[in-house]
Amino acid sequence: VLFCRGFCLGEIVRAEREQVIPSGKGVDASLVICELGGETRALGLGAGLNGGLHQALLDRWGVAHDLAPALGETRTATVLVDLAVGKQSTISAPTLTAREEHLDSLLELVGRYSSEAWGLICGGSLPPGLPRDSYARLVGFAREHGLATLLDTSGDALRLGVRGLPHVLKINQD
């Protein structure tokens, strides 16, 4: 996150401060759970140098994690906050890619931790290459293991994800 005042395209902008934090819908949920004193484990995919940075940031913030290796680079999002107008913009690019075997790795992780977990949160966009029904399969698998499930996504991932019958469905007005 870069904090500045008076951002203007085409100009040199000096940020007042920077904050580097782990992110993503599931990670954000884990951060909140930790902040509230709960126990959580962030499961997901990680790749490349950015994946290593993401794991180091999770360690720094005290979030237990288990990330299966994927292809490419873990996505980095730059959030630009203009303090003068009280608005922000997020710039991100899909750089991590995955295949069917990466979904198998995620299912294995859910199975590994299901006996000590209360639930599973699936959120965000699916990386390119991951099967379009990945959330339906993850949610269904978690339900079979007795976990409460929450799905927070959009588009095809949402349309297909509801087939897994999540206990909680979080959708945007869009």
Side-chain angles (χ1 to χ4, degrees):
V1 182
L2 298 172
F3 297 88
C4 67
R5 291 183 193 278
F7 176 78
C8 182
L9 280 174
E11 300 292 325
I12 294 176
V13 179
R14 305 254 185 250
E16 293 181 16
R17 66 185 165 99
E18 175 185 32
Q19 185 177 20
V20 181
I21 58 174
S23 63
K25 287 186 187 243
V27 168
D28 292 346
S30 284
L31 288 169
V32 170
I33 291 168
C34 281
E35 184 69 25
L36 295 173
E39 291 185 31
T40 183
R41 181 173 307 273
L43 305 178
L45 301 174
L49 294 173
N50 290 338
L53 172 61
H54 200 235
Q55 290 185 63
L57 289 168
L58 289 169
D59 289 340
R60 181 181 295 168
W61 284 71
V63 175
H65 55 85
D66 200 340
L67 304 179
L71 306 170
E73 285 286 340
T74 294
R75 178 172 56 191
T76 299
T78 300
V79 179
L80 177 63
V81 178
D82 190 328
L83 299 167
V85 295
K87 291 187 176 183
Q88 74 178 42
S89 293
T90 302
I91 303 167
S92 64
T95 54
L96 183 143
T97 59
R99 296 194 278 247
E100 180 83 29
E101 62 262 25
H102 298 109
L103 174 58
D104 293 340
S105 295
L106 289 172
L107 290 166
E108 181 183 316
L109 288 174
V110 172
R112 180 181 310 156
Y113 295 106
S114 64
S115 66
E116 59 192 66
W118 62 268
L120 177 72
I121 297 172
C122 293
S125 58
L126 291 172
L130 209 59
R132 291 179 17 187
D133 69 342
S134 292
Y135 281 147
R137 291 162 63 183
L138 284 161
V139 168
F141 184 79
R143 285 181 63 98
E144 289 171 8
H145 284 78
L147 302 179
T149 56
L150 182 144
L151 178 63
D152 179 3
T153 190
S154 61
D156 282 345
L158 172 63
R159 280 188 286 283
L160 296 172
V162 296
R163 294 179 185 170
L165 302 176
H167 293 94
V168 177
L169 183 63
K170 189 269 184 193
I171 57 175
N172 296 336
Q173 186 174 0
D174 295 349

